[in-house]
Amino acid sequence: MQQRTDSFGVGLMYTAVSPGRVNLIGEHTDYSFGYVMPMAVNLHTRIEGDAFEHVELYSEHFEETRFFKLDRIKKEGSWMDYVRAIYWVLAEEGLTPKGIKGRIGGNLPVDSGLSSSASFELAIMALLNEIYGLGLSPQKMALLAQRAENEFIGVPCGIMDQFIIAMGKEGHAMFLDTETLEHEYVPIPEDIQVLVFHTGVRRTLTGSAYADRRKMVVEVLRRIGRESSKCVEERDLRGLPGIYRRRFGYIIRENRRVVMARDALKSGDMETFGRILTEAHLDIARNYGVSCGELDYIVRKAVEFGAYGARLTGAGFGGAAIAVVDRAKGKEIGDRLLLEYSRAFRWKARYFLVEASQGVEVFRG
Ligand code: GLA
């Protein structure tokens, strides 16, 4: 077979296409092993490449080529660390694939609350899995990518992002029990679209504030002697400090809402589905303390402009909100939001109308 090459002389034998994600509902519930309902989206990281002795990758986003040798896996503080993280975790599993040469592109915006880092990590892992026949299942890849993020990168995230990016299904959201990893695909009605509005607010606090929330939640579980937030009830929190009760109370209600939202989506009851989403936002903003004025503004306006419901998505502290809208009204609502938002705030915002996509895939040739 004749090998295609690009202007950089890179052999383009394999292409990994890895989606971003939005979370419809179930926010900050995955690190207490509760329920979530994300979907993979049709904005992708795309890596074209082939086997090589070392690792050499060109990033279209950063407009640079980076390189490392496989006998020295050490962090350097650049985007290449995500690739090193994957080699590190594979080595922990006793897997030692050789290198890769290629280029990274795609249309998934970096730093927009759509989980571009997990998408990138899974693109690399899936590519290595295919090129070197590592025999990893999508679920195993998700678990390994989460470990890479937790232990090599040092971000104490839950399993949600990696799981949906590895296992997403076109046209469907996924109801996931993050304790057992049992999951169910829930079709998204065809006349519905998800609008992702990126506030442009930089999530500078995310690192420490996310880790603080996680620490507190783990501490509550330890004190009440439970493994998962799914089976905790308000009365189990009696005697705990007020702030613990307030934060964990949100998680208890959010778990219930994910189940109700799944049922509403299954029966196509978009009014109820949307109402639950908006309720979830008000609760997380009031009681979990991870929203901000810009996100609250978008949620309020989106509903005012005719969305079924809206809420922040992902870790919060800035980043993105979603609104669930009729397909016919998507663009009109997005444009209006952008206009009003840019009058009210000085951040450079943007929005995307997204569809539920397949999880990471690798194509040959
Ligand atoms: C980030 C983490 C996820 C999850 C969300 C909040 O996206 O990576 O594991 O905790 O925040 O729901």
Side-chain angles (χ1 to χ4, degrees):
M1 180 172 44
Q2 169 124 43
Q3 193 173 316
R4 286 185 297 132
T5 56
D6 72 359
S7 53
F8 291 81
V10 173
L12 305 178
M13 285 281 286
Y14 295 86
T15 303
V17 179
S18 185
R21 70 96 187 88
V22 294
N23 188 19
L24 294 176
I25 190 162
E27 216 64 82
H28 286 269
T29 48
D30 63 349
Y31 47 83
S32 60
F33 305 104
Y35 298 120
V36 294
M37 192 159 65
M39 67 185 216
V41 299
N42 60 337
L43 294 168
H44 297 99
T45 307
R46 186 185 173 89
I47 307 183
E48 297 173 323
D50 204 355
F52 193 56
E53 187 61 19
H54 313 294
V55 175
E56 187 182 310
L57 292 166
Y58 174 78
S59 160
E60 285 173 10
H61 177 79
F62 293 99
E63 297 183 347
E64 62 175 10
T65 299
R66 287 191 173 265
F67 174 91
F68 70 91
K69 288 194 171 169
L70 294 174
D71 54 1
R72 282 196 73 230
I73 307 279
K74 271 181 75 187
K75 271 195 191 172
E76 69 172 12
S78 80
W79 55 268
M80 192 59 122
D81 285 347
Y82 291 110
V83 183
R84 292 187 174 89
I86 297 305
Y87 275 94
W88 173 83
V89 81
L90 290 174
E92 290 285 301
E93 284 288 298
L95 297 168
T96 50
K98 285 258 185 216
I100 170 178
K101 179 171 177 161
R103 63 183 292 147
I104 309 153
N107 59 356
L108 177 63
V110 173
D111 212 13
S112 280
L114 294 169
S115 221
S116 59
S117 50
S119 170
F120 180 36
E121 288 166 330
L122 277 151
I124 293 288
M125 176 124 49
L127 208 51
L128 295 175
N129 192 38
E130 186 71 24
I131 296 176
Y132 295 108
L134 304 181
L136 300 169
S137 68
Q139 184 160 321
K140 182 73 183 173
M141 288 198 278
L143 290 165
L144 289 178
Q146 184 203 14
R147 183 171 172 210
E149 188 76 35
N150 290 169
E151 295 182 32
F152 190 87
I153 302 293
V155 174
C157 63
I159 187 62
M160 172 173 73
D161 302 347
Q162 292 78 8
F163 203 87
I164 189 64
I165 288 169
M167 310 271 290
K169 184 169 169 186
E170 198 175 338
H172 293 72
M174 177 197 276
F175 174 82
L176 170 66
D177 177 333
T178 61
E179 183 184 27
T180 60
L181 300 184
E182 273 170 50
H183 53 280
E184 175 186 353
Y185 292 101
V186 185
I188 298 190
E190 283 192 359
D191 48 355
I192 291 303
Q193 230 174 0
V194 176
L195 188 159
V196 184
F197 190 97
H198 188 252
T199 58
V201 178
R202 297 212 36 200
R203 298 179 298 161
T204 41
L205 270 176
T206 315
S208 59
Y210 184 92
D212 286 352
R213 293 293 183 287
R214 182 172 180 142
K215 227 184 266 162
M216 189 211 63
V217 163
V218 169
E219 171 67 11
V220 171
L221 287 177
R222 191 189 64 76
R223 286 207 198 182
I224 63 176
R226 299 290 168 78
E227 298 286 324
S228 153
S229 57
K230 283 177 305 186
C231 50
V232 179
E233 296 188 17
E234 280 85 350
R235 62 165 186 267
D236 300 322
L237 306 179
R238 270 186 224 142
L240 291 178
I243 187 70
Y244 285 28
R245 289 210 307 275
R246 186 159 154 217
R247 301 273 194 249
F248 212 92
Y250 155 77
I251 292 178
I252 294 172
R253 292 185 294 278
E254 183 74 347
N255 276 325
R256 290 186 192 131
R257 278 189 293 259
V258 184
V259 175
M260 291 189 301
R262 174 200 60 189
D263 295 345
L265 189 58
K266 271 170 126 173
S267 58
D269 180 353
M270 297 315 294
E271 304 284 345
T272 303
F273 182 71
R275 194 171 32 74
I276 298 170
L277 261 59
T278 309
E279 244 173 62
H281 180 82
L282 297 178
D283 197 359
I284 201 170
R286 217 173 276 149
N287 296 308
Y288 209 66
V290 300
S291 187
C292 61
E294 290 85 345
L295 285 167
D296 297 345
Y297 177 91
I298 289 302
V299 168
R300 204 173 55 242
K301 287 287 173 188
V303 173
E304 191 185 313
F305 295 164
Y308 288 105
R311 53 181 293 283
L312 68 80
T313 191
F317 313 102
I322 52 164
V324 174
V325 298
D326 272 330
R327 187 173 292 278
K329 291 199 215 149
K331 186 162 178 335
E332 180 200 318
I333 294 179
D335 288 348
R336 264 187 93 183
L337 280 176
L338 203 54
L339 188 70
E340 299 248 338
Y341 183 84
S342 57
R343 285 187 184 140
F345 301 98
R346 65 189 169 86
W347 312 111
K348 201 169 167 334
R350 49 190 169 165
Y351 79 88
F352 311 91
L353 289 162
V354 297
E355 313 286 342
S357 156
Q358 202 64 22
V360 63
E361 291 178 288
V362 179
F363 305 95
R364 194 164 180 187

